[in-house]
Tab-separated table of all heavy atoms in Angstrom:
chain	number	residue	atom	x	y	z
A	1	GLY	N	51.711	-5.737	60.993
A	1	GLY	CA	51.207	-6.843	61.742
A	1	GLY	C	51.881	-6.964	63.068
A	1	GLY	O	52.702	-6.200	63.517
A	2	PHE	N	51.696	-8.115	63.747
A	2	PHE	CA	52.355	-8.439	64.977
A	2	PHE	C	52.519	-9.922	65.159
A	2	PHE	O	51.938	-10.653	64.430
A	2	PHE	CB	51.566	-7.758	66.195
A	2	PHE	CG	50.198	-8.257	66.353
A	2	PHE	CD1	49.949	-9.381	67.324
A	2	PHE	CD2	49.154	-7.915	65.616
A	2	PHE	CE1	48.614	-9.891	67.409
A	2	PHE	CE2	47.895	-8.372	65.748
A	2	PHE	CZ	47.654	-9.349	66.753
A	3	TRP	N	53.336	-10.318	66.136
A	3	TRP	CA	53.629	-11.662	66.482
A	3	TRP	C	52.966	-12.117	67.772
A	3	TRP	O	52.994	-11.181	68.733
A	3	TRP	CB	55.196	-11.825	66.583
A	3	TRP	CG	55.923	-11.668	65.286
A	3	TRP	CD1	56.315	-10.501	64.852
A	3	TRP	CD2	56.199	-12.681	64.378
A	3	TRP	NE1	56.986	-10.747	63.704
A	3	TRP	CE2	56.889	-12.033	63.234
A	3	TRP	CE3	55.946	-14.042	64.283
A	3	TRP	CZ2	57.444	-12.682	62.183
A	3	TRP	CZ3	56.403	-14.743	63.094
A	3	TRP	CH2	57.162	-14.068	62.143
A	4	ILE	N	52.578	-13.313	67.932
A	4	ILE	CA	52.184	-13.866	69.178
A	4	ILE	C	53.069	-15.130	69.426
A	4	ILE	O	53.329	-15.808	68.434
A	4	ILE	CB	50.699	-14.142	69.378
A	4	ILE	CG1	50.114	-15.078	68.287
A	4	ILE	CG2	49.854	-12.939	69.284
A	4	ILE	CD1	48.749	-15.563	68.517
A	5	LEU	N	53.199	-15.448	70.618
A	5	LEU	CA	54.073	-16.605	70.980
A	5	LEU	C	53.127	-17.665	71.749
A	5	LEU	O	52.478	-17.182	72.674
A	5	LEU	CB	55.237	-16.392	71.863
A	5	LEU	CG	56.070	-17.432	72.363
A	5	LEU	CD1	56.819	-18.150	71.268
A	5	LEU	CD2	57.009	-16.857	73.415
A	6	THR	N	53.049	-18.833	71.257
A	6	THR	CA	52.222	-19.772	71.901
A	6	THR	C	52.802	-21.259	71.721
A	6	THR	O	53.315	-21.625	70.631
A	6	THR	CB	50.804	-19.927	71.233
A	6	THR	OG1	49.973	-20.925	71.940
A	6	THR	CG2	50.714	-20.173	69.802
A	7	ALA	N	52.886	-21.889	72.846
A	7	ALA	CA	53.429	-23.286	72.911
A	7	ALA	C	54.855	-23.279	72.105
A	7	ALA	O	55.122	-24.274	71.407
A	7	ALA	CB	52.447	-24.279	72.193
A	8	GLY	N	55.594	-22.320	72.383
A	8	GLY	CA	57.035	-22.248	71.746
A	8	GLY	C	57.031	-21.878	70.310
A	8	GLY	O	58.038	-21.998	69.741
A	9	ARG	N	55.929	-21.510	69.779
A	9	ARG	CA	55.870	-21.056	68.375
A	9	ARG	C	55.552	-19.666	68.233
A	9	ARG	O	54.789	-19.142	68.982
A	9	ARG	CB	54.766	-21.865	67.606
A	9	ARG	CG	54.988	-23.404	67.643
A	9	ARG	CD	53.925	-24.138	67.009
A	9	ARG	NE	53.596	-23.648	65.691
A	9	ARG	CZ	52.426	-23.693	65.096
A	9	ARG	NH1	51.392	-24.275	65.780
A	9	ARG	NH2	52.247	-23.169	63.875
A	10	GLU	N	56.115	-19.045	67.269
A	10	GLU	CA	55.729	-17.651	66.890
A	10	GLU	C	54.879	-17.600	65.719
A	10	GLU	O	55.007	-18.264	64.703
A	10	GLU	CB	57.015	-16.859	66.571
A	10	GLU	CG	57.879	-16.644	67.763
A	10	GLU	CD	59.201	-15.933	67.442
A	10	GLU	OE1	59.614	-15.820	66.204
A	10	GLU	OE2	59.784	-15.278	68.304
A	11	LEU	N	53.735	-16.892	65.877
A	11	LEU	CA	52.716	-16.776	64.782
A	11	LEU	C	52.614	-15.287	64.466
A	11	LEU	O	52.555	-14.388	65.239
A	11	LEU	CB	51.346	-17.319	65.216
A	11	LEU	CG	51.339	-18.717	65.692
A	11	LEU	CD1	50.004	-19.052	66.309
A	11	LEU	CD2	51.628	-19.658	64.503
A	12	PHE	N	52.600	-15.053	63.088
A	12	PHE	CA	52.512	-13.614	62.623
A	12	PHE	C	51.100	-13.355	62.104
A	12	PHE	O	50.585	-14.096	61.413
A	12	PHE	CB	53.500	-13.339	61.496
A	12	PHE	CG	53.547	-11.917	61.057
A	12	PHE	CD1	54.039	-10.909	61.843
A	12	PHE	CD2	53.018	-11.570	59.788
A	12	PHE	CE1	53.967	-9.574	61.398
A	12	PHE	CE2	53.040	-10.293	59.337
A	12	PHE	CZ	53.445	-9.291	60.140
A	13	LEU	N	50.604	-12.326	62.577
A	13	LEU	CA	49.248	-11.868	62.195
A	13	LEU	C	49.355	-10.483	61.402
A	13	LEU	O	49.626	-9.507	61.883
A	13	LEU	CB	48.245	-11.568	63.299
A	13	LEU	CG	47.832	-12.872	64.057
A	13	LEU	CD1	48.863	-13.241	65.127
A	13	LEU	CD2	46.492	-12.579	64.781
A	14	ALA	N	49.340	-10.734	60.026
A	14	ALA	CA	49.466	-9.466	59.207
A	14	ALA	C	48.146	-8.741	59.159
A	14	ALA	O	47.023	-9.243	59.173
A	14	ALA	CB	49.709	-10.031	57.699
A	15	PHE	N	48.323	-7.384	59.186
A	15	PHE	CA	47.072	-6.605	59.190
A	15	PHE	C	46.230	-6.763	57.881
A	15	PHE	O	44.942	-6.591	57.976
A	15	PHE	CB	47.514	-5.055	59.283
A	15	PHE	CG	48.085	-4.680	60.624
A	15	PHE	CD1	49.142	-3.678	60.648
A	15	PHE	CD2	47.637	-5.211	61.792
A	15	PHE	CE1	49.641	-3.382	61.809
A	15	PHE	CE2	48.221	-4.892	63.032
A	15	PHE	CZ	49.143	-3.925	63.049
A	16	GLU	N	46.928	-7.122	56.781
A	16	GLU	CA	46.081	-7.385	55.594
A	16	GLU	C	45.142	-8.572	55.785
A	16	GLU	O	44.091	-8.548	55.242
A	16	GLU	CB	47.021	-7.703	54.407
A	16	GLU	CG	47.811	-6.522	53.997
A	16	GLU	CD	49.072	-6.337	54.922
A	16	GLU	OE1	49.590	-7.187	55.444
A	16	GLU	OE2	49.474	-5.093	55.094
A	17	ASP	N	45.619	-9.600	56.572
A	17	ASP	CA	44.738	-10.806	56.757
A	17	ASP	C	43.846	-10.617	57.982
A	17	ASP	O	42.835	-11.263	58.064
A	17	ASP	CB	45.614	-11.990	57.013
A	17	ASP	CG	46.482	-12.324	55.837
A	17	ASP	OD1	45.916	-12.285	54.623
A	17	ASP	OD2	47.657	-12.746	56.013
A	18	PHE	N	44.221	-9.798	58.942
A	18	PHE	CA	43.495	-9.624	60.151
A	18	PHE	C	43.234	-8.112	60.461
A	18	PHE	O	43.871	-7.575	61.329
A	18	PHE	CB	44.187	-10.295	61.301
A	18	PHE	CG	44.489	-11.718	61.115
A	18	PHE	CD1	45.695	-12.156	60.620
A	18	PHE	CD2	43.544	-12.604	61.289
A	18	PHE	CE1	46.029	-13.417	60.313
A	18	PHE	CE2	43.784	-14.025	61.013
A	18	PHE	CZ	45.040	-14.451	60.515
A	19	PRO	N	42.429	-7.419	59.671
A	19	PRO	CA	42.242	-6.037	59.796
A	19	PRO	C	41.730	-5.364	61.011
A	19	PRO	O	41.937	-4.234	61.300
A	19	PRO	CB	41.294	-5.686	58.542
A	19	PRO	CG	40.508	-7.007	58.387
A	19	PRO	CD	41.490	-8.053	58.704
A	20	TRP	N	41.163	-6.287	61.888
A	20	TRP	CA	40.618	-5.873	63.153
A	20	TRP	C	41.679	-5.187	64.086
A	20	TRP	O	41.422	-4.349	64.935
A	20	TRP	CB	39.903	-6.984	63.916
A	20	TRP	CG	39.089	-7.754	63.041
A	20	TRP	CD1	37.772	-7.473	62.549
A	20	TRP	CD2	39.369	-9.057	62.524
A	20	TRP	NE1	37.339	-8.425	61.830
A	20	TRP	CE2	38.227	-9.407	61.711
A	20	TRP	CE3	40.396	-9.847	62.538
A	20	TRP	CZ2	38.126	-10.568	61.029
A	20	TRP	CZ3	40.406	-11.046	61.838
A	20	TRP	CH2	39.312	-11.403	61.125
A	21	PHE	N	42.957	-5.567	63.830
A	21	PHE	CA	44.043	-5.106	64.718
A	21	PHE	C	44.717	-3.854	64.137
A	21	PHE	O	45.442	-3.224	64.810
A	21	PHE	CB	44.996	-6.291	64.799
A	21	PHE	CG	44.578	-7.559	65.414
A	21	PHE	CD1	44.298	-8.609	64.574
A	21	PHE	CD2	44.148	-7.543	66.696
A	21	PHE	CE1	43.785	-9.814	65.168
A	21	PHE	CE2	43.642	-8.738	67.287
A	21	PHE	CZ	43.420	-9.812	66.527
A	22	ARG	N	44.412	-3.508	62.917
A	22	ARG	CA	45.202	-2.341	62.226
A	22	ARG	C	45.094	-1.094	63.052
A	22	ARG	O	46.122	-0.390	63.203
A	22	ARG	CB	44.630	-2.188	60.825
A	22	ARG	CG	45.328	-0.977	60.068
A	22	ARG	CD	44.879	-0.946	58.702
A	22	ARG	NE	45.462	-1.993	57.870
A	22	ARG	CZ	44.640	-2.834	57.159
A	22	ARG	NH1	43.337	-2.663	57.146
A	22	ARG	NH2	45.171	-3.750	56.501
A	23	ASP	N	43.911	-0.721	63.594
A	23	ASP	CA	43.717	0.576	64.323
A	23	ASP	C	43.697	0.281	65.786
A	23	ASP	O	43.350	1.241	66.603
A	23	ASP	CB	42.487	1.296	63.830
A	23	ASP	CG	42.644	1.676	62.351
A	23	ASP	OD1	43.763	2.051	61.945
A	23	ASP	OD2	41.613	1.643	61.658
A	24	ALA	N	44.056	-0.847	66.216
A	24	ALA	CA	43.969	-1.189	67.785
A	24	ALA	C	45.278	-0.597	68.409
A	24	ALA	O	46.233	-0.453	67.746
A	24	ALA	CB	43.872	-2.660	67.928
A	25	SER	N	45.012	-0.318	69.734
A	25	SER	CA	46.118	0.194	70.525
A	25	SER	C	46.953	-1.065	70.864
A	25	SER	O	46.597	-2.211	70.743
A	25	SER	CB	45.692	0.905	71.740
A	25	SER	OG	45.064	-0.100	72.611
A	26	ILE	N	48.253	-0.729	71.257
A	26	ILE	CA	49.119	-1.778	71.744
A	26	ILE	C	48.472	-2.525	72.884
A	26	ILE	O	48.590	-3.742	72.986
A	26	ILE	CB	50.493	-1.218	72.064
A	26	ILE	CG1	51.128	-0.700	70.796
A	26	ILE	CG2	51.408	-2.225	72.783
A	26	ILE	CD1	52.555	0.009	70.960
A	27	ALA	N	47.845	-1.808	73.887
A	27	ALA	CA	47.254	-2.337	74.931
A	27	ALA	C	46.116	-3.312	74.556
A	27	ALA	O	45.996	-4.453	75.141
A	27	ALA	CB	46.647	-1.298	75.881
A	28	GLN	N	45.392	-3.010	73.524
A	28	GLN	CA	44.288	-3.912	73.075
A	28	GLN	C	44.837	-5.198	72.439
A	28	GLN	O	44.336	-6.213	72.655
A	28	GLN	CB	43.426	-3.164	72.074
A	28	GLN	CG	42.508	-2.139	72.716
A	28	GLN	CD	41.807	-1.293	71.674
A	28	GLN	OE1	42.376	-0.857	70.686
A	28	GLN	NE2	40.523	-1.090	71.886
A	29	VAL	N	45.940	-5.016	71.647
A	29	VAL	CA	46.519	-6.156	70.921
A	29	VAL	C	47.233	-7.140	71.944
A	29	VAL	O	47.169	-8.304	71.760
A	29	VAL	CB	47.585	-5.687	69.880
A	29	VAL	CG1	48.332	-6.859	69.367
A	29	VAL	CG2	46.789	-4.937	68.705
A	30	THR	N	47.825	-6.519	72.964
A	30	THR	CA	48.516	-7.405	73.872
A	30	THR	C	47.660	-7.986	74.949
A	30	THR	O	48.063	-8.897	75.715
A	30	THR	CB	49.660	-6.566	74.551
A	30	THR	OG1	49.109	-5.503	75.269
A	30	THR	CG2	50.738	-6.079	73.664
A	31	GLU	N	46.352	-7.631	74.966
A	31	GLU	CA	45.431	-8.115	75.978
A	31	GLU	C	44.760	-9.318	75.239
A	31	GLU	O	43.589	-9.317	74.892
A	31	GLU	CB	44.372	-7.139	76.346
A	31	GLU	CG	43.419	-7.643	77.396
A	31	GLU	CD	44.080	-7.941	78.680
A	31	GLU	OE1	45.037	-7.201	79.124
A	31	GLU	OE2	43.625	-8.943	79.343
A	32	VAL	N	45.513	-10.483	75.084
A	32	VAL	CA	45.048	-11.632	74.363
A	32	VAL	C	44.976	-12.795	75.360
A	32	VAL	O	45.791	-12.842	76.310
A	32	VAL	CB	45.984	-11.987	73.224
A	32	VAL	CG1	47.414	-12.222	73.610
A	32	VAL	CG2	45.503	-13.207	72.436
A	33	GLN	N	44.031	-13.665	75.246
A	33	GLN	CA	43.787	-14.786	76.125
A	33	GLN	C	43.707	-16.023	75.215
A	33	GLN	O	43.131	-15.988	74.171
A	33	GLN	CB	42.386	-14.612	76.881
A	33	GLN	CG	42.289	-13.383	77.567
A	33	GLN	CD	40.875	-13.133	78.109
A	33	GLN	OE1	39.875	-13.812	77.686
A	33	GLN	NE2	40.570	-12.216	78.903
A	34	GLU	N	44.439	-16.987	75.705
A	34	GLU	CA	44.304	-18.314	75.030
A	34	GLU	C	43.188	-19.096	75.775
A	34	GLU	O	43.441	-19.687	76.831
A	34	GLU	CB	45.595	-19.123	74.951
A	34	GLU	CG	45.553	-20.320	74.134
A	34	GLU	CD	46.912	-20.925	73.729
A	34	GLU	OE1	47.878	-20.457	74.365
A	34	GLU	OE2	46.985	-21.805	72.910
A	35	VAL	N	41.979	-19.047	75.334
A	35	VAL	CA	40.834	-19.536	76.055
A	35	VAL	C	40.927	-21.104	76.169
A	35	VAL	O	40.308	-21.678	77.087
A	35	VAL	CB	39.469	-19.074	75.584
A	35	VAL	CG1	39.297	-17.593	75.876
A	35	VAL	CG2	39.278	-19.209	74.143
A	36	ARG	N	41.382	-21.747	75.158
A	36	ARG	CA	41.706	-23.180	75.117
A	36	ARG	C	42.867	-23.284	74.110
A	36	ARG	O	43.173	-22.462	73.438
A	36	ARG	CB	40.485	-24.026	74.785
A	36	ARG	CG	39.944	-23.754	73.287
A	36	ARG	CD	38.735	-24.686	73.196
A	36	ARG	NE	38.198	-24.414	71.771
A	36	ARG	CZ	37.435	-23.493	71.423
A	36	ARG	NH1	36.861	-22.705	72.277
A	36	ARG	NH2	36.981	-23.388	70.195
A	37	PRO	N	43.586	-24.488	74.167
A	37	PRO	CA	44.736	-24.524	73.325
A	37	PRO	C	44.400	-24.306	71.946
A	37	PRO	O	43.495	-24.902	71.331
A	37	PRO	CB	45.142	-26.059	73.577
A	37	PRO	CG	44.674	-26.351	74.919
A	37	PRO	CD	43.332	-25.579	75.154
A	38	GLY	N	45.146	-23.323	71.400
A	38	GLY	CA	44.976	-23.078	69.895
A	38	GLY	C	43.844	-22.073	69.577
A	38	GLY	O	43.450	-21.790	68.440
A	39	HIS	N	43.141	-21.477	70.581
A	39	HIS	CA	42.025	-20.611	70.339
A	39	HIS	C	42.298	-19.335	71.232
A	39	HIS	O	42.369	-19.409	72.464
A	39	HIS	CB	40.653	-21.254	70.689
A	39	HIS	CG	39.543	-20.331	70.418
A	39	HIS	ND1	38.932	-20.413	69.213
A	39	HIS	CD2	38.869	-19.344	71.100
A	39	HIS	CE1	37.972	-19.448	69.077
A	39	HIS	NE2	37.957	-18.797	70.274
A	40	PHE	N	42.322	-18.210	70.473
A	40	PHE	CA	42.765	-16.884	71.071
A	40	PHE	C	41.516	-15.971	71.042
A	40	PHE	O	40.784	-15.904	70.039
A	40	PHE	CB	43.929	-16.366	70.339
A	40	PHE	CG	45.108	-17.274	70.322
A	40	PHE	CD1	45.263	-18.181	69.310
A	40	PHE	CD2	45.904	-17.408	71.351
A	40	PHE	CE1	46.339	-19.035	69.175
A	40	PHE	CE2	47.077	-18.168	71.324
A	40	PHE	CZ	47.219	-19.083	70.251
A	41	ARG	N	41.535	-15.050	72.107
A	41	ARG	CA	40.462	-14.133	72.212
A	41	ARG	C	41.074	-12.770	72.611
A	41	ARG	O	41.914	-12.698	73.533
A	41	ARG	CB	39.518	-14.562	73.322
A	41	ARG	CG	38.451	-13.432	73.574
A	41	ARG	CD	37.087	-14.031	73.845
A	41	ARG	NE	36.111	-12.921	74.290
A	41	ARG	CZ	35.608	-12.143	73.352
A	41	ARG	NH1	35.903	-12.210	72.126
A	41	ARG	NH2	34.689	-11.302	73.899
A	42	TRP	N	40.674	-11.788	72.007
A	42	TRP	CA	41.074	-10.388	72.327
A	42	TRP	C	39.719	-9.637	72.796
A	42	TRP	O	38.933	-9.190	72.016
A	42	TRP	CB	41.596	-9.668	71.101
A	42	TRP	CG	42.995	-10.111	70.722
A	42	TRP	CD1	44.192	-9.435	71.006
A	42	TRP	CD2	43.350	-11.194	69.935
A	42	TRP	NE1	45.189	-10.058	70.512
A	42	TRP	CE2	44.754	-11.180	69.863
A	42	TRP	CE3	42.706	-12.178	69.341
A	42	TRP	CZ2	45.469	-12.157	69.111
A	42	TRP	CZ3	43.363	-13.111	68.646
A	42	TRP	CH2	44.774	-13.091	68.528
A	43	PRO	N	39.445	-9.700	74.109
A	43	PRO	CA	38.152	-9.293	74.588
A	43	PRO	C	37.763	-7.764	74.277
A	43	PRO	O	36.717	-7.452	73.973
A	43	PRO	CB	38.233	-9.535	76.163
A	43	PRO	CG	39.632	-9.782	76.410
A	43	PRO	CD	40.436	-10.132	75.135
A	44	GLU	N	38.759	-6.883	74.397
A	44	GLU	CA	38.581	-5.451	74.150
A	44	GLU	C	38.215	-5.251	72.690
A	44	GLU	O	37.499	-4.225	72.334
A	44	GLU	CB	39.775	-4.598	74.420
A	44	GLU	CG	40.100	-4.708	75.915
A	44	GLU	CD	40.163	-3.227	76.544
A	44	GLU	OE1	40.078	-2.301	75.776
A	44	GLU	OE2	40.246	-3.198	77.830
A	45	LEU	N	38.644	-6.137	71.805
A	45	LEU	CA	38.348	-5.835	70.294
A	45	LEU	C	37.203	-6.796	69.832
A	45	LEU	O	36.814	-6.782	68.722
A	45	LEU	CB	39.611	-6.221	69.535
A	45	LEU	CG	40.796	-5.420	69.869
A	45	LEU	CD1	42.007	-5.886	69.152
A	45	LEU	CD2	40.531	-3.936	69.455
A	46	ASP	N	36.690	-7.707	70.687
A	46	ASP	CA	35.647	-8.715	70.366
A	46	ASP	C	36.132	-9.564	69.213
A	46	ASP	O	35.395	-9.769	68.260
A	46	ASP	CB	34.396	-8.056	70.055
A	46	ASP	CG	33.194	-9.008	70.165
A	46	ASP	OD1	33.330	-10.116	70.818
A	46	ASP	OD2	32.187	-8.754	69.492
A	47	VAL	N	37.364	-10.024	69.214
A	47	VAL	CA	37.974	-10.860	68.136
A	47	VAL	C	38.278	-12.217	68.791
A	47	VAL	O	38.969	-12.363	69.819
A	47	VAL	CB	39.137	-10.191	67.529
A	47	VAL	CG1	39.915	-11.208	66.607
A	47	VAL	CG2	38.837	-8.906	66.874
A	48	ASP	N	37.895	-13.250	68.128
A	48	ASP	CA	38.272	-14.673	68.387
A	48	ASP	C	38.848	-15.335	67.155
A	48	ASP	O	38.385	-15.229	66.123
A	48	ASP	CB	37.048	-15.526	68.834
A	48	ASP	CG	36.458	-15.121	70.145
A	48	ASP	OD1	35.723	-14.137	70.179
A	48	ASP	OD2	36.787	-15.824	71.082
A	49	LEU	N	40.018	-15.994	67.325
A	49	LEU	CA	40.750	-16.670	66.238
A	49	LEU	C	41.183	-17.979	66.658
A	49	LEU	O	41.754	-18.112	67.672
A	49	LEU	CB	41.948	-15.799	65.750
A	49	LEU	CG	41.647	-14.484	65.123
A	49	LEU	CD1	42.909	-13.734	64.880
A	49	LEU	CD2	40.897	-14.649	63.830
A	50	ASP	N	41.072	-18.964	65.716
A	50	ASP	CA	41.647	-20.231	66.006
A	50	ASP	C	43.002	-20.248	65.303
A	50	ASP	O	43.234	-19.632	64.225
A	50	ASP	CB	40.714	-21.254	65.247
A	50	ASP	CG	41.137	-22.668	65.587
A	50	ASP	OD1	40.788	-23.274	66.599
A	50	ASP	OD2	41.947	-23.249	64.781
A	51	ILE	N	43.873	-21.043	65.898
A	51	ILE	CA	45.265	-21.148	65.316
A	51	ILE	C	45.282	-21.553	63.854
A	51	ILE	O	46.192	-21.041	63.126
A	51	ILE	CB	46.174	-22.101	66.271
A	51	ILE	CG1	47.621	-21.764	65.905
A	51	ILE	CG2	45.731	-23.551	66.001
A	51	ILE	CD1	48.561	-22.469	66.937
A	52	ARG	N	44.401	-22.307	63.490
A	52	ARG	CA	44.426	-22.695	62.016
A	52	ARG	C	44.233	-21.457	61.087
A	52	ARG	O	44.806	-21.440	60.106
A	52	ARG	CB	43.333	-23.739	61.749
A	52	ARG	CG	43.683	-25.058	62.455
A	52	ARG	CD	42.506	-26.034	62.429
A	52	ARG	NE	41.432	-25.499	63.255
A	52	ARG	CZ	40.289	-26.180	63.522
A	52	ARG	NH1	40.161	-27.361	63.111
A	52	ARG	NH2	39.433	-25.508	64.358
A	53	SER	N	43.365	-20.556	61.469
A	53	SER	CA	43.134	-19.362	60.643
A	53	SER	C	44.377	-18.459	60.753
A	53	SER	O	44.580	-17.728	59.719
A	53	SER	CB	41.883	-18.643	61.070
A	53	SER	OG	41.992	-18.091	62.309
A	54	ILE	N	45.049	-18.517	61.809
A	54	ILE	CA	46.343	-17.599	61.836
A	54	ILE	C	47.410	-18.264	60.919
A	54	ILE	O	48.118	-17.550	60.226
A	54	ILE	CB	46.755	-17.563	63.261
A	54	ILE	CG1	45.753	-16.819	64.081
A	54	ILE	CG2	48.123	-16.760	63.331
A	54	ILE	CD1	46.004	-16.831	65.569
A	55	GLU	N	47.535	-19.628	60.950
A	55	GLU	CA	48.564	-20.321	60.232
A	55	GLU	C	48.303	-20.277	58.741
A	55	GLU	O	49.241	-20.273	57.985
A	55	GLU	CB	48.647	-21.794	60.706
A	55	GLU	CG	49.147	-21.895	62.108
A	55	GLU	CD	49.028	-23.404	62.604
A	55	GLU	OE1	48.122	-24.050	62.240
A	55	GLU	OE2	49.960	-23.801	63.262
A	56	ASP	N	47.093	-20.339	58.411
A	56	ASP	CA	46.653	-20.479	56.942
A	56	ASP	C	45.468	-19.521	56.607
A	56	ASP	O	44.291	-20.021	56.363
A	56	ASP	CB	46.366	-21.826	56.631
A	56	ASP	CG	46.294	-22.092	55.122
A	56	ASP	OD1	46.576	-21.152	54.320
A	56	ASP	OD2	45.943	-23.352	54.729
A	57	PRO	N	45.597	-18.266	56.703
A	57	PRO	CA	44.468	-17.315	56.468
A	57	PRO	C	43.758	-17.429	55.195
A	57	PRO	O	42.580	-17.080	55.034
A	57	PRO	CB	45.051	-15.893	56.759
A	57	PRO	CG	46.495	-15.991	56.642
A	57	PRO	CD	46.800	-17.493	56.880
A	58	GLU	N	44.398	-17.818	54.113
A	58	GLU	CA	43.805	-18.063	52.826
A	58	GLU	C	42.546	-19.082	52.846
A	58	GLU	O	41.746	-18.941	52.053
A	58	GLU	CB	44.820	-18.503	51.760
A	58	GLU	CG	45.840	-17.446	51.449
A	58	GLU	CD	47.033	-17.400	52.563
A	58	GLU	OE1	47.348	-18.526	53.151
A	58	GLU	OE2	47.600	-16.388	52.766
A	59	ARG	N	42.722	-20.040	53.678
A	59	ARG	CA	41.732	-21.019	53.836
A	59	ARG	C	40.508	-20.483	54.587
A	59	ARG	O	39.459	-21.224	54.566
A	59	ARG	CB	42.326	-22.357	54.468
A	59	ARG	CG	43.256	-23.051	53.657
A	59	ARG	CD	43.628	-24.347	54.120
A	59	ARG	NE	42.381	-25.118	54.336
A	59	ARG	CZ	42.381	-26.359	54.777
A	59	ARG	NH1	43.445	-26.936	55.243
A	59	ARG	NH2	41.169	-26.978	54.858
A	60	TYR	N	40.658	-19.392	55.196
A	60	TYR	CA	39.508	-18.847	56.110
A	60	TYR	C	39.264	-17.376	55.749
A	60	TYR	O	39.714	-16.506	56.459
A	60	TYR	CB	39.964	-19.013	57.563
A	60	TYR	CG	40.101	-20.425	57.966
A	60	TYR	CD1	41.512	-20.979	57.933
A	60	TYR	CD2	39.157	-21.236	58.449
A	60	TYR	CE1	41.717	-22.322	58.269
A	60	TYR	CE2	39.389	-22.636	58.774
A	60	TYR	CZ	40.610	-23.115	58.750
A	60	TYR	OH	40.920	-24.370	59.068
A	61	PRO	N	38.681	-17.158	54.559
A	61	PRO	CA	38.433	-15.821	54.125
A	61	PRO	C	37.519	-15.032	55.127
A	61	PRO	O	36.723	-15.612	55.779
A	61	PRO	CB	37.853	-15.942	52.704
A	61	PRO	CG	37.200	-17.286	52.759
A	61	PRO	CD	38.103	-18.156	53.725
A	62	LEU	N	37.788	-13.757	55.186
A	62	LEU	CA	36.887	-12.829	55.957
A	62	LEU	C	35.498	-12.893	55.412
A	62	LEU	O	35.286	-12.729	54.162
A	62	LEU	CB	37.489	-11.417	56.029
A	62	LEU	CG	38.802	-11.228	56.433
A	62	LEU	CD1	39.332	-9.872	56.452
A	62	LEU	CD2	38.803	-11.600	58.025
A	63	VAL	N	34.505	-12.991	56.319
A	63	VAL	CA	33.111	-13.007	55.834
A	63	VAL	C	32.367	-11.962	56.757
A	63	VAL	O	32.446	-12.117	57.992
A	63	VAL	CB	32.442	-14.352	55.921
A	63	VAL	CG1	31.003	-14.369	55.539
A	63	VAL	CG2	33.200	-15.360	55.084
A	64	ALA	N	31.617	-11.183	56.167
A	64	ALA	CA	30.773	-10.203	56.945
A	64	ALA	C	29.333	-10.396	56.650
A	64	ALA	O	28.933	-10.847	55.500
A	64	ALA	CB	31.086	-8.789	56.646
A	65	ARG	N	28.485	-10.400	57.660
A	65	ARG	CA	26.994	-10.574	57.520
A	65	ARG	C	26.348	-9.359	57.965
A	65	ARG	O	26.695	-8.683	58.719
A	65	ARG	CB	26.599	-11.767	58.348
A	65	ARG	CG	27.156	-13.078	57.921
A	65	ARG	CD	26.674	-14.172	58.809
A	65	ARG	NE	27.464	-15.287	58.513
A	65	ARG	CZ	26.969	-16.455	58.193
A	65	ARG	NH1	25.798	-16.620	57.856
A	65	ARG	NH2	27.731	-17.534	58.046
C-alpha cells in the first residue's frame, strides 16, 4: 500500500482494500488531486475516493457492475 497526507493527517491505502493501485506506477499513484476537501482523484487511473472510504474501507465494499 501507500500513504497520502491531507490536512496534516496521514492515510494508508492498503492494496488489499484498494486494488486499483496494486499495479500502478509510482507516477500514477503520486498524481493525486484533492478535488474538494476529503475527495481524491487519480486521473490516470480513473479512481475517485472519498476520505470516509479510505478511513473505513470495510463500510464501503468494492462493487463491480
Side-chain angles (χ1 to χ4, degrees):
F2 63 97
W3 295 88
I4 61 172
L5 178 65
T6 181
R9 298 178 51 208
E10 293 180 335
L11 302 171
F12 183 70
L13 288 84
F15 292 144
E16 294 79 28
D17 296 322
F18 305 98
W20 314 283
F21 302 107
R22 182 175 286 125
D23 296 322
S25 70
I26 293 172
Q28 290 172 313
V29 170
T30 58
E31 186 62 37
V32 59
Q33 304 165 350
E34 190 168 10
V35 293
R36 63 180 181 273
H39 186 88
F40 304 94
R41 173 146 176 76
W42 287 263
E44 294 237 352
L45 300 171
D46 195 26
V47 173
D48 287 83
L49 293 173
D50 188 88
I51 195 168
R52 292 171 292 189
S53 65
I54 297 170
E55 293 173 325
D56 194 6
E58 295 82 29
R59 291 189 59 184
Y60 302 91
L62 299 177
V63 177
R65 295 178 194 243

